[in-house]
Amino acid sequence: MVSKLWKNYNSSHAYDGYFTKDNKLRKHAAIISSILERYGKKKLQEIEKNCQSTISARGINFRVYAANNRAEEKKWPLDIIPRIIPKTQWNKVSKGLKQRVKALNLFIDDVYNQKKIFKDKVVPNEIIFNSPFYVKECEGFSPKHKAWSNISGIDLIRNTNGDYLVLEDNLRVPSGVSYMLENRMVMRDVFPELFTRYKVASIHQYTNKLFNCMVECIPKKTSNPHMVVLTPGIYNSAYFEHSFLAEQMGIALVEGKDLFVENDIVYMKTVKGPLKVDCIYRRLDDNFLDPKVFFKNSLIGVPGLFKSWRKGNVGIINAIGTGVADDKVVYSYVNKMIVYYLGEQPILNQVETYLCHNKNERNYVIENISKLVVKPANASGGYGIMIGPKADKKERDEVIAKIKKNPREYIAQPLETLSTAPTITENDIEPRHLDLRPFVLSGKTTYVSTGGLTRVALRKGSTIVNSSQGGGSKDTLIVDV
């Protein structure tokens, strides 16, 4: 018998994390359901208000830029009904993530060195060497441990069968981990009963693991390492995260103007004089890092940084050039990379992808555009996506024209129905679509966060989960049940 709290809840349109298609409660959701039922809607809305107050008090925010380029500070949107994932499920996902990131790191190293994967005709070399993120200056170089993508944010969805699929690889400067950590801190404050009733895996070792990853990536052994987080500055949309991570790791948060290079060694300016820097966690895109090598007018980079890195005098994470694998066209080849480099079958599958630079696939996309999701190969944040079934003819025709003009820059995928979880709305508890971004750290060792940032589409029926476009978030509890 479904309680009064769930009487209007409809779990039949997608795989739901709490209920089966015939509205039976899943085993791992029994405890949370009993807690929610006991509180009732009124009390839950009160907890939701307390949650917003805690978020304000902790200063958890993010910045969105409007069309006129004006910045707007927004409070971080957290829904108090968490996502629950049984540990047995998570163990498989975690293994799949390690496997995937290992293959991606081997691929990036191969691109800039032996190029075996091209010689063996597994991946066409033109899709790499025509990529805007291929950095020819990285040729013949490998960072320590051949770890290029030290911090990887891998976006996962669950399809209608409940299978975890990789939707996207974020390898350049993936963001969101601070919100994963803050969500947990807030939830422990406002909803402590969840953590006494469930045995929840901790996520708070993440910053310690990140610190260790930075130490592992210092090229030359030193007894007293100095490390920094390099931010573009306070106007960056993820500045909250930059300062949060620097503070949690106990290392300096710096801008380009705080660093300088002398004799190919990077120093930080301090009141006591120059301090040698051994590793930099950079939150700037490649193009802005060093005006001597990349974008000449960059005011936020550090002249001479690239040469210092290539000479092995400083570690940079993620490594320059990593973006070559952070491309939705390259994404379509990752399963082949896993087989090629590791001799293993992929543990996690991914979404079927049509490449518009391939003539046959392009024709298929154009003919079936009303059924497909079309994405720019190199955009992020949910921008530029066209959802065929929801787009009008004018929008679809515009996208077809763009595909014909620049086919390499577009891919298409079938519209996957993202899984749902109960979410508090103004009047009720309703299913909302969500995805999940776990974080994988790679240095000498590999670490996968126990859970990740669950992003939720707060608008009914929407599948756009990005916070910059009205999405919210949930705490992700990995539980022993």
Side-chain angles (χ1 to χ4, degrees):
M1 168 109 173
V2 176
S3 77
K4 198 167 72 170
L5 188 72
W6 303 112
K7 73 179 190 317
N8 299 325
Y9 194 82
N10 183 354
S11 59
S12 65
H13 300 306
Y15 181 91
D16 190 83
Y18 278 46
F19 288 92
T20 61
K21 286 230 184 326
D22 52 0
N23 232 28
K24 288 194 170 65
L25 195 64
R26 297 188 191 278
K27 185 186 167 193
H28 61 261
I31 295 172
I32 175 82
S33 179
S34 69
I35 295 170
L36 297 173
E37 284 166 24
R38 201 174 71 249
Y39 280 138
K41 281 179 203 165
K42 206 172 174 190
K43 176 70 175 168
L44 289 172
Q45 278 159 345
E46 221 175 275
I47 295 173
E48 183 90 347
K49 282 199 184 89
N50 291 342
C51 174
Q52 291 310 313
S53 303
T54 305
I55 284 167
S56 293
R58 291 182 72 89
I60 310 169
N61 57 38
F62 67 103
R63 187 175 274 112
V64 172
Y65 285 90
N68 59 7
N69 237 10
R70 280 185 59 191
E72 189 186 340
E73 288 283 350
K74 292 199 169 190
K75 279 208 296 278
W76 180 247
L78 170 62
D79 180 76
I80 61 159
I81 301 179
R83 180 184 208 151
I84 309 276
I85 300 174
K87 197 174 181 181
T88 47
Q89 279 179 22
W90 189 251
N91 289 343
K92 183 188 171 187
V93 171
S94 182
K95 279 182 192 152
L97 291 168
K98 280 186 181 179
Q99 179 196 55
R100 189 175 180 91
V101 170
K102 187 177 179 184
L104 282 162
N105 272 311
L106 288 167
F107 169 70
I108 301 166
D109 199 64
D110 195 14
V111 165
Y112 291 117
N113 292 282
Q114 281 86 17
K115 301 178 176 44
K116 280 167 65 183
I117 204 163
F118 306 133
K119 291 167 192 165
D120 291 336
K121 299 194 170 8
V122 179
V123 175
N125 62 11
E126 65 272 12
I127 70 164
I128 300 302
F129 300 125
N130 293 335
S131 163
F133 300 113
Y134 163 69
V135 180
K136 67 177 187 301
E137 291 85 357
C138 291
E139 285 289 338
F141 177 79
S142 290
K144 196 164 179 197
H145 310 298
K146 297 189 177 178
W148 292 77
S149 182
N150 310 98
I151 301 116
S152 310
I154 310 293
D155 291 349
L156 302 175
I157 59 168
R158 297 189 82 172
N159 64 11
T160 48
N161 300 324
D163 300 323
Y164 287 93
L165 299 178
V166 177
L167 183 67
E168 202 168 286
D169 302 300
N170 298 281
L171 311 179
R172 279 174 279 167
V173 276
S175 63
V177 76
S178 61
Y179 300 112
M180 171 187 91
L181 297 167
E182 285 283 18
N183 283 355
R184 178 62 53 86
M185 291 179 197
V186 171
M187 287 291 283
R188 278 192 171 281
D189 274 359
V190 301
F191 217 155
E193 190 176 348
L194 282 173
F195 301 91
T196 54
R197 297 282 303 277
Y198 275 112
K199 192 176 176 189
V200 180
S202 169
I203 56 170
H204 288 301
Q205 64 272 43
Y206 178 86
T207 46
N208 188 33
K209 297 283 186 186
L210 177 58
F211 182 91
N212 290 339
C213 181
M214 290 186 74
V215 171
E216 286 175 2
C217 293
I218 293 169
K220 291 171 182 167
K221 205 171 178 185
T222 173
S223 55
N224 185 21
H226 292 109
M227 306 186 294
V228 298
V229 176
L230 175 60
T231 175
I234 58 167
Y235 298 111
N236 184 267
S237 59
Y239 182 75
F240 168 83
E241 174 153 298
H242 307 165
S243 54
F244 174 89
L245 290 173
E247 186 186 333
Q248 292 291 313
M249 288 191 284
I251 64 177
L253 178 69
V254 299
E255 294 180 35
K257 62 189 179 191
D258 302 316
L259 302 177
F260 69 95
V261 176
E262 196 171 272
N263 298 325
D264 301 327
I265 290 170
V266 182
Y267 295 95
M268 176 171 69
K269 299 169 188 171
T270 77
V271 288
K272 293 179 179 174
L275 183 70
K276 184 176 177 292
V277 174
D278 300 294
C279 191
I280 298 170
Y281 175 18
R282 53 88 172 225
R283 297 297 297 253
L284 278 67
D285 284 336
D286 289 354
N287 284 341
F288 297 98
L289 270 176
D290 184 344
K292 281 188 173 180
V293 181
F294 305 115
F295 180 54
K296 304 282 180 279
N297 297 324
S298 172
L299 300 174
I300 55 175
V302 184
L305 179 59
F306 182 81
K307 193 177 171 192
S308 174
W309 175 67
R310 273 214 62 142
K311 281 197 157 189
N313 292 331
V314 70
I316 297 177
I317 69 170
N318 284 351
I320 299 164
T322 298
V324 77
D326 186 345
D327 176 311
K328 293 176 184 69
V329 175
V330 175
Y331 156 93
S332 70
Y333 289 94
V334 178
N335 280 356
K336 289 181 178 176
M337 291 176 199
I338 291 168
V339 174
Y340 180 76
Y341 290 115
L342 307 178
E344 300 167 1
Q345 288 305 309
I347 296 166
L348 290 172
N349 216 330
Q350 53 185 53
V351 180
E352 188 180 5
T353 303
Y354 303 100
L355 306 176
C356 293
H357 70 262
N358 175 304
K359 191 184 174 191
N360 291 342
E361 293 184 31
R362 178 167 69 247
N363 290 342
Y364 176 84
V365 169
I366 290 168
E367 283 163 24
N368 295 276
I369 197 138
S370 61
K371 301 175 196 163
L372 299 168
V373 178
V374 179
K375 300 177 179 180
N378 292 301
S380 59
Y383 292 104
I385 291 175
M386 188 218 66
I387 299 170
K390 295 184 180 180
D392 57 30
K393 187 175 183 304
K394 181 174 178 275
E395 214 180 323
R396 295 199 292 255
D397 287 345
E398 283 171 1
V399 169
I400 288 170
K402 286 178 183 172
I403 289 170
K404 286 178 174 174
K405 188 180 175 189
N406 198 351
R408 163 65 178 83
E409 285 310 301
Y410 291 90
I411 60 114
Q413 294 171 330
L415 180 60
E416 291 281 355
T417 304
L418 272 61
S419 63
T420 56
T423 303
I424 292 186
T425 66
E426 272 182 38
N427 309 311
D428 215 335
I429 294 177
E430 297 177 358
R432 289 291 184 266
H433 294 291
L434 31 76
D435 77 353
L436 176 63
R437 179 176 291 179
F439 296 87
V440 184
L441 298 177
S442 310
K444 185 180 179 184
T445 52
T446 306
Y447 165 79
V448 179
S449 57
T450 36
L453 177 64
T454 286
R455 302 180 301 174
V456 55
L458 295 175
R459 285 193 285 270
K460 191 170 186 172
S462 172
T463 55
I464 301 290
V465 298
N466 306 77
S467 53
S468 55
Q469 299 196 52
S473 72
K474 288 176 174 289
D475 193 6
T476 310
L477 309 187
I478 308 298
V479 300
D480 264 333
V481 284

